[in-house]
Amino acid sequence: MHSTEIILSPRVRTTPYEQRVYENGVKSFTVYNHMTLPVNFTNTEDEYHHLCEHVQLWDVAAERQVEIVGPDALKLVELITPREVAGCQIGQCLYAPLADEDGLVVNDPIILRVAEDRYWLSIADSDVKCWVKGIAWGRGLNVNVFEPDVSPLAVQGPRADDLMAELAGEEVRDIKFFRFIEKEIAGTPVLLARSGWSGQGGFEIYLQDSNYGLALWDAVWEVGKKYQIRAGAPNLIERLETGLKSYGSDITHADNVLECGFERYLNLDKPSEYMARGALEKIRRDGVQRKLCNVMVEGKPLPPLRLCWDLRHADTKVGRASSCAFSPKYGANLMFAMVAVDVATPGTELTVMVGGEPYRGIVKDECWK
Ligand code: THG
């Protein structure tokens, strides 16, 4: 890989935590929602082991919030996702794909109901604010859509509960998965949710005033010292083992929601109106052409994946792999791949082309079995 630089200018926004991220020796960033998102502090494998054993603090402010507030807020949220949002309570989070009129995935946010008529879409990397504002205006809906000054900070790893209980009170242990409460930490009101982009457990703290970013970081850090806290970031190895797909890589606007494994979250027959209904009903009738799958390649670690790797079956191209990491847990390379349905069944053998070289891959189920 080349080691050139991406120049940071005001077009690449800063985060309220960035100073601490630099002080902790950040080695690389990616750009996500036009903002810096740390990738590595030491190296992916070292950070993976630390994340699975201790606790890490992640600057995930790049998971921006799109606020939808007003009398038509629920109507608008229902319009943009095939997931049923009506039953979502205040204090609840829902993982929900946004689908356009063709059923294609626009983003895969976590939706938080923060008040009666107020929702936050905690978005992945695409310009959701523009999309949602356009729909609101076109429909003449009585809502306000904007990006509030909210910056998530994730506390992830097996010691996250002990850390947060000590910092914010024993009652945080009772927060259920994908629920949140209001709290004051470091002198500023936050939402504290049990969620985060790892399978290691933990919380996300939604800071609501950038001016308190460093104070919040320092408050968590101070308590975290005895738990060997380190600065970290969403981890490639861990997310492949856990099965977390990344919008922009594994899922793009070229893929429809039924190809991406979202069915389990959806109610395509929900009573409320949503823009993808017609398209998704047709796709459901006709059947999908492709499926997002887990593919395993045994043997030594493959080189880093920059662009997608082609997958072949009987010398025909049948798909592409979009993420890959060597997993210490499984002792094999794990990848997410969009492949033709007829070769998407676990047990199917595929050929993965890496730099012109063929490798033997096997389609696995979601648990890598
Ligand atoms: N946290 C916040 N915002 C985010 C992310 C996050 N926005 C972008 C991106 N990540 C959204 N994508 C996901 C994908 C999966 C999950 C969370 C966000 C997730 N999934 C659980 C799982 O797969 O086990 C369960 C989801 C469920 O059952 O509802 O947690 O990380 N703030």
Side-chain angles (χ1 to χ4, degrees):
M1 290 271 223
H2 301 285
S3 68
T4 45
E5 260 185 286
I6 292 181
I7 299 297
L8 298 177
S9 72
R11 279 195 303 110
V12 181
R13 300 180 290 174
T14 182
T15 88
Y17 315 113
E18 207 175 76
Q19 191 182 326
R20 292 293 179 268
V21 164
Y22 279 115
E23 287 164 4
N24 282 282
V26 67
K27 279 198 176 147
S28 52
F29 291 107
T30 190
V31 176
Y32 193 97
N33 286 320
H34 315 277
M35 187 176 272
T36 52
L37 173 63
V39 174
N40 283 126
F41 288 81
T42 55
N43 63 73
T44 305
E45 193 175 339
D46 171 63
E47 289 164 40
Y48 160 84
H49 289 294
H50 180 268
L51 170 63
C52 296
E53 285 163 34
H54 305 288
V55 61
Q56 292 184 351
L57 194 51
W58 297 358
D59 172 359
V60 286
E63 293 165 351
R64 301 314 292 163
Q65 309 304 299
V66 174
E67 178 163 332
I68 302 176
V69 60
D72 289 331
L74 177 59
K75 188 175 181 189
L76 177 53
V77 177
E78 290 277 33
L79 260 180
I80 58 178
T81 176
R83 181 158 190 174
E84 193 165 347
V85 183
C88 183
Q89 295 164 359
I90 297 169
Q92 190 177 352
C93 312
L94 295 178
Y95 178 45
L98 306 187
D100 71 9
E101 70 282 9
D102 295 319
L104 301 173
V105 185
V106 167
N107 198 284
D108 68 334
I110 294 176
I111 299 175
L112 295 86
R113 187 174 187 188
V114 289
E116 184 64 26
D117 277 348
R118 196 150 72 97
Y119 294 85
W120 286 351
L121 310 180
S122 183
I123 64 172
D125 184 22
S126 75
D127 295 323
V128 171
K129 183 181 71 177
C130 295
W131 169 248
V132 175
K133 277 182 79 77
I135 295 163
W137 184 82
R139 281 287 181 122
L141 296 177
N142 188 0
V143 290
N144 192 8
V145 180
F146 63 99
E147 186 185 298
D149 177 11
V150 172
S151 300
L153 180 65
V155 184
Q156 297 287 296
R159 303 313 300 275
D161 265 59
D162 293 333
L163 191 168
M164 289 309 296
E166 199 172 321
L167 177 64
E170 285 296 317
E171 68 271 25
V172 308
R173 294 187 193 273
D174 300 329
I175 302 173
K176 295 200 174 66
F177 185 62
F178 266 44
R179 298 280 171 160
F180 63 85
I181 61 169
E182 293 181 34
K183 268 276 159 203
E184 193 178 295
I185 302 177
T188 191
V190 299
L191 302 188
L192 180 58
R194 189 181 289 281
S195 58
W197 218 55
S198 85
Q200 303 309 309
F203 298 89
E204 289 180 304
I205 308 170
Y206 290 80
L207 172 71
Q208 300 177 75
D209 179 347
S210 301
N211 295 314
Y212 286 83
L214 300 183
L216 176 62
W217 178 287
D218 293 343
V220 179
W221 195 266
E222 197 50 41
V223 177
K225 279 178 184 165
K226 66 159 86 59
Y227 301 109
Q228 300 188 52
I229 196 167
R230 277 167 45 174
N235 185 276
L236 181 69
I237 302 169
E238 201 282 337
R239 80 160 176 100
L240 274 142
E241 290 180 350
T242 299
L244 296 167
K245 318 295 188 311
S246 181
Y247 187 81
S249 297
D250 310 310
I251 300 171
T252 75
H253 195 193
D255 309 317
N256 73 57
V257 294
L258 298 177
E259 292 170 333
C260 300
F262 286 118
E263 307 88 299
R264 81 190 89 158
Y265 302 110
L266 308 181
N267 175 9
L268 299 185
D269 303 314
K270 69 178 181 174
S272 47
E273 185 188 8
Y274 67 98
M275 52 201 300
R277 187 191 298 272
L280 292 178
E281 279 173 355
K282 180 166 178 358
I283 294 164
R284 188 164 51 167
R285 267 197 316 275
D286 298 349
V288 294
Q289 302 295 305
R290 312 180 298 167
K291 269 282 171 198
L292 190 52
C293 292
N294 289 7
V295 174
M296 184 181 277
V297 173
E298 288 173 355
K300 60 180 188 333
L302 293 168
L305 183 157
R306 168 64 176 85
L307 298 171
C308 291
W309 292 332
D310 280 356
L311 300 185
R312 294 182 187 167
H313 184 79
D315 291 329
T316 314
K317 187 185 165 187
V318 292
R320 57 188 152 71
S322 47
S323 296
C324 177
F326 186 84
S327 157
K329 180 172 167 188
Y330 296 100
N333 298 281
L334 310 182
M335 42 191 97
F336 297 139
M338 188 62 91
V339 304
V341 271
D342 50 313
V343 294
T345 326
T348 308
E349 275 193 36
L350 300 173
T351 303
V352 185
M353 298 303 297
V354 181
E357 292 291 314
Y359 291 84
R360 181 171 163 276
I362 306 169
V363 179
K364 296 286 178 178
D365 74 10
E366 285 178 16
C367 303
W368 297 106
K369 297 244 171 57

